[in-house]
């Protein structure tokens, strides 16, 4: 049915039902609310009048008056307010709740809504991360109007007013450009379907008071366009053709879909700050203005600037000179959920954005430490929303689902795939409820959520299930914030961590913002062990205190869910899945507690050199493997995967993609890894008990390669040699693995320049290039690849250090060695970023 026919049908239906009186020129949004209200009315329907009176309340606010025996009046401050008033009245009538004489309500957060990833768990052949054209083959749900209708009705019930679609480069699926006809990435038939669907979706969103927003990355361009012009699809620097193409794509999008918002991400591909600012002010915003002119728009459409992988404090002042109707967005706890006490540099970024005068949005992103289990800690969620407002200055919520990369299905193994918004109804409902109003008294909230859970599982079981949700939800946030490598998407917390990652996290590129911004103050494992050894007092959260809290919460959750089990009267299959999740969270918590105790014992050994510390570590490590076996048994037949993104961007505990295929995404795949780790550790303890059985490290095997850069010399990696053509710094310490390799003698000054010399080489077999990064901070020293801000950074590996402090000099900082993989062929070495680095050799993989 077309939109006009549907509107006419609703009008006739409402006219036939005399109980509801609407304004003469009621908008589709008001009609939708009235239709939902009419559906809720019983046989003896009261008379109801729906009004829109601007200024009668805050935006989207409403008032319901119900005089005894008189007409019930729903008054909205705008069309959305009238819609929400109708939905509130409908819910109360359906529940048989008495109406007070006057009821008024309005939201505290201006924008409230979830996102959907137009992304997949895998990479498409010949493409990079984020590159997914809109096609029926990859996204069948996008073309399913019935499913969209159910989902959008759910969002309306939750009073969500935004919906974000995330994609790397959506324009080549949604618009055609006369100047770049080759850019279209889909067939003509699919393009026609995409345009029709996108227009329908935008209209259906608007009818429910929802603003549809399309997100995109910079600089990503169409694959066929890139191939025609010999470009990469993801560009790290300014390109004139890409700039012209992108500006015209945005203009065409605004012209074709004038009621759809845009959300650019300046980073990920595009690297330098000055270029990002220029791209925003000379490409993206002018493109929006071009589209406005073509569509005859007089008011600037809202544009949301994502503050990821860019310094928004430098972009926004310049952007506001070009365009005024800007919003900002930044991640709440990074790409996890860890604390309701965000602080540090990330808190300051949020506050800086919130003080610009526009609406700032907090983004609950990815949830890498919650995957794949259900999460319903409504107390944690309420505190988090309060923190968004009071600690960060946010007035908007941007919410990710719990299994982002595989929407709309959940990861559960079930006879019929579970839909995420149904499985995780309490996740969406809690964030929506508190984004509307976070200042709700605790007693009333317990009664509210108990009633909601009673609808699902029965009244007697409900309070126990609520207790289980609230207790289980405290475990993962505490574990990650105190022990994790990163709050980012490259760590799958439920799959565990290796002992080496806990003992030597610096080797795996630990991300300081995890404990400096996304955690309360406290001590990491290494810091705690050092303070213990030196007899110093401890501060804040410590590993023992966190372990005690995690064990107590996990035990409380198991006891509560077990108490609920005999009382459940409905939805028993879903309750069984929830109960299994609680037990899995308990086993995971026990695993981490045992393994971190093992790590502390290893760290103690570093100070004491007592073999008893290593034997204690061995015992605790054995316990951790036992708990991981329990976790594996609980998840073996209940979950397809632990994480929703299964590509090489996943790094912790092991890379998520090997040879282009998904790997290390299930507990059954990690259990043998941890069993081998235990066996190796036992052998190490035996060796330490007999010092004569020392271990040696053989040098890496040099690979055959040919340097193609004229004048570039090599050097031999050995003590007393120099590694640079213009530095007298000599090697004073060298890892045995590097001994005798042929490194490339670069110019130290040239590596720091804006236009460093290109290094070209050829190889008949695959090779690994060993790049040394100086352990120093500042613009003079190049940084290793950073997956937190560049999802393509790990294309050739090299994210984690292969060897730490592998080379020391007499007058330069020490080097960590990272290994980058290259296939057979001719290559230009790409060491991203600026600042000094070294090349210690090219070796066999």
């Amino acid at each position: 049915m077309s939109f006009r026919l549907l509107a006419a049908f609703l009008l006739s239906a409402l006219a036939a039902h005399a109980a509801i009186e609407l304004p003469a020129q009621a908008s589709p949004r008001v009609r939708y609310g009235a239709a939902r209200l009419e559906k809720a009315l019983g046989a003896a329907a009261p008379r109801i009048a729906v009004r829109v009176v601007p200024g009668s309340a805050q935006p989207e606010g409403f008032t319901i008056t119900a005089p005894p025996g008189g007409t019930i009046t729903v008054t909205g401050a705008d069309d959305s307010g009238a819609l929400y008033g109708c939905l509130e009245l409908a819910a109360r009538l359906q529940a048989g709740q008495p109406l007070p004489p006057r009821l008024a309500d309005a939201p505290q957060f201006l924008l409230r809504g979830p996102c959907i990833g137009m992304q997949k768990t895998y990479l498409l052949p010949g493409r990079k991360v984020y590159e997914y054209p809109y096609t029926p083959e990859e996204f069948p749900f996008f073309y399913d109007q019935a499913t969209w209708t159910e989902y959008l009705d759910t969002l309306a019930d939750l009073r969500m007013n935004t919906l974000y679609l995330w994609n790397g480069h959506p324009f080549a699926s949604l618009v055609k450009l006369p100047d770049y006809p080759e850019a279209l990435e889909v067939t003509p038939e699919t393009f026609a379907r995409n345009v029709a669907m996108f227009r329908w979706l935008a209209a259906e969103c608007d009818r429910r008071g929802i603003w549809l927003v399309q997100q995109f990355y910079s600089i990503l361009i169409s694959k066929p366009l890139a191939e025609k012009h010999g470009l990469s699809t993801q560009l790290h620097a300014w390109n004139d053709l890409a700039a012209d193409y992108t500006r015209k794509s945005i203009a065409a999008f605004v012209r074709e879909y004038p009621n759809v918002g845009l959300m650019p991400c300046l980073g990920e591909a595009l690297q330098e700050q000055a270029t990002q600012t220029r791209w925003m002010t000379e490409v993206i915003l002018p493109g929006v203005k071009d589209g406005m002119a073509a569509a005859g728009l007089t008011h600037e459409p809202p544009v949301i600037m994502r503050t990821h992988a860019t310094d928004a404090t430098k972009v926004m002042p310049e952007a506001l000179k070009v365009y005024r109707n800007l919003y900002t967005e930044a991640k709440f706890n990074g790409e996890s959920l860890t604390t309701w006490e965000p602080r540090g540099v990330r808190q300051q970024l949020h506050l800086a954005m919130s003080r610009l005068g526009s609406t700032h949005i907090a983004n609950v992103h990815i949830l890498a430490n919650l995957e794949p289990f259900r999460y319903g800690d409504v107390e944690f969620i309420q505190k988090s929303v309060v923190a968004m407002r009071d600690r960060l200055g946010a007035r908007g919520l941007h919410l990710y689902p719990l299994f982002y990369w595989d929407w709309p299905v959940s990861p559960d193994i079930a006879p019929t795939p579970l839909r995420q918004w149904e499985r995780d109804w309490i996740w969406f409902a809690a964030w929506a409820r508190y984004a509307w109003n976070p200042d709700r008294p605790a007693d009333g909230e317990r009664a509210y959520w108990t009633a909601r859970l009673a609808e699902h599982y029965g009244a007697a079981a409900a309070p126990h299930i609520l207790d289980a949700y609230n207790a289980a939800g405290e475990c993962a946030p505490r574990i990650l914030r105190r022990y994790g490598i990163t709050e980012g998407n490259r760590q799958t917390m439920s799959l565990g961590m290796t002992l080496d990652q806990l003992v030597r996290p610096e080797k795996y590129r630990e991300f300081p913002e995890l404990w400096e911004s996304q955690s309360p103050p406290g001590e990491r494992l290494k810091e705690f062990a050092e303070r213990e050894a030196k007899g110093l007092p401890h501060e804040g959260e410590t590993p023992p205190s966190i372990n005690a809290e995690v064990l107590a919460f996990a035990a409380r959750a198991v006891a509560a869910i077990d108490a609920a089990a005999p009382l459940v009267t409905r939805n028993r299959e879903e309750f069984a899945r929830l109960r299994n999740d609680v037990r899995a969270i308990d086993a995971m918590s026990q695993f981490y507690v045992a393994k971190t105790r093992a790590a502390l014992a290893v760290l103690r050994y570093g100070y004491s050199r007592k073999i008893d510390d290593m034997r204690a570590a061995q015992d605790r490590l054995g316990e951790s493997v036992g708990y991981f076996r329990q976790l594996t048994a609980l998840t073996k037949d209940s979950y397809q995967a632990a994480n929703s993104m299964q590509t090489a961007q996943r790094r912790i505990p092991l890379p998520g993609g090997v040879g282009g295929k998904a790997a290390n995404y299930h507990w059954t795949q990690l259990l043998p890894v941890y069993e081998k780790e235990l066996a190796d550790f036992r052998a190490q303890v035996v060796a330490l008990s007999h010092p004569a059985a020392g271990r040696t490290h053989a040098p890496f095997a040099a690979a055959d390669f040919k340097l193609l850069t004229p004048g570039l010399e090599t050097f031999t990696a050995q003590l007393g040699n120099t590694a640079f053509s213009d530095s007298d710094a000599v090697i004073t310490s060298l890892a045995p693995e590097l001994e005798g390799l042929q490194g490339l003698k670069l110019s130290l000054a040239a590596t720091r320049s804006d236009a460093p010399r290109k290094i070209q080489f050829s190889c008949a077999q695959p090779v690994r290039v060993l790049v040394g990064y100086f352990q120093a901070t500042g613009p003079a020293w190049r940084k290793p690849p950073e997956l937190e801000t560049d999802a393509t950074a790990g294309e050739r590996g090299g994210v984690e250090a292969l060897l730490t402090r592998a080379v020391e000099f007499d007058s330069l900082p020490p080097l960590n060695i990272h290994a980058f993989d290259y296939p057979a062929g001719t290559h230009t070495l790409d060491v991203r970023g600026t600042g000094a680095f070294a090349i210690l050799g090219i070796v066999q993989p």
Side-chain angles (χ1 to χ4, degrees), residues 131-144:
E131 297 179 13
Y132 301 98
Y134 290 10
T135 66
E137 293 76 22
E138 296 301 330
F139 303 108
F141 74 85
F142 180 70
Y143 306 88
D144 186 345

Side-chain angles (χ1 to χ4, degrees), residues 118-136:
M118 300 296 288
Q119 322 262 20
K120 306 301 293 185
T121 61
Y122 48 81
L123 299 184
L124 295 179
R127 290 183 177 271
K128 300 177 182 179
V129 66
Y130 304 138
E131 297 179 13
Y132 301 98
Y134 290 10
T135 66

Side-chain angles (χ1 to χ4, degrees), residues 407-434:
W407 183 267
V409 298
S410 80
D412 301 78
I413 297 173
T416 301
L418 306 182
R419 302 192 298 188
Q420 290 192 46
W421 72 88
E422 294 173 337
R423 187 198 88 146
D424 299 319
W425 66 270
I426 195 170
W427 169 262
F428 292 101
W431 288 103
R433 178 172 176 80
Y434 298 123

Side-chain angles (χ1 to χ4, degrees), residues 9-37:
F9 171 79
L10 289 174
L11 276 176
S12 62
L14 289 172
H17 199 303
I20 299 179
E21 176 188 335
L22 294 180
Q25 302 297 323
S27 70
R29 194 170 298 180
V30 175
R31 294 172 193 160
Y32 172 82
R36 293 288 304 274
L37 178 55

